[in-house]
Amino acid sequence: MTEARAATERLRAELRVLGVTTAYEMGDDVTLPVWIGLVVRYRDGFYRWQEGPVKRRHLGTDAVGCAIRVARRFTELQADVPLWWDDLAKESRGNLAQDYP
């Protein structure tokens, strides 16, 4: 198992503990989409995530700390869906996405 895959698996497990069960693997060992527009990647020893057009970084390989920050942001985004989400959802899924990811 590669370092990136192990780090991604640790993050996914930590997210599940925090109640984020929507994360799924892309099959490239480094990418973990959590919700439309909220994607986490592990690269060069860092967890990096992107929410719409904004990129964030969590220093190091601390899966627990990163999961806490991503889960918090996931909850915030769902509570107050940003303007960019509608456009991204339509682009990604077509008009069938309706109100939820």
Side-chain angles (χ1 to χ4, degrees), residues 78-89:
Q78 285 192 318
D80 187 21
V81 178
L83 296 175
W84 54 260
W85 189 88
D86 285 331
D87 293 335
L88 187 57

Side-chain angles (χ1 to χ4, degrees), residues 9 27-28 35 53 56 71 73 77 87 90:
E9 287 293 324
D28 64 0
W35 194 49
R56 310 251 185 226
R73 190 63 187 136
L77 288 170
D87 293 335
K90 286 178 185 174

Side-chain angles (χ1 to χ4, degrees), residues 54-85:
V54 178
K55 293 183 180 181
R56 310 251 185 226
R57 182 173 72 171
H58 181 76
L59 298 176
T61 59
D62 174 24
V64 174
C66 183
I68 290 169
R69 292 177 73 184
V70 170
R72 183 180 304 136
R73 190 63 187 136
F74 172 74
T75 303
E76 291 169 356
L77 288 170
Q78 285 192 318
D80 187 21
V81 178
L83 296 175
W84 54 260
W85 189 88

Side-chain angles (χ1 to χ4, degrees), residues 18-79:
L18 295 171
V20 179
T21 59
T22 58
Y24 60 95
E25 295 180 40
M26 290 290 294
D28 64 0
D29 292 346
V30 297
T31 307
L32 192 67
V34 179
W35 194 49
I36 290 179
L38 182 58
V39 178
V40 183
R41 290 181 181 84
Y42 182 83
R43 187 177 46 142
D44 301 328
F46 297 104
Y47 286 106
R48 304 166 191 269
W49 71 91
Q50 183 169 348
E51 53 184 73
V54 178
K55 293 183 180 181
R56 310 251 185 226
R57 182 173 72 171
H58 181 76
L59 298 176
T61 59
D62 174 24
V64 174
C66 183
I68 290 169
R69 292 177 73 184
V70 170
R72 183 180 304 136
R73 190 63 187 136
F74 172 74
T75 303
E76 291 169 356
L77 288 170
Q78 285 192 318

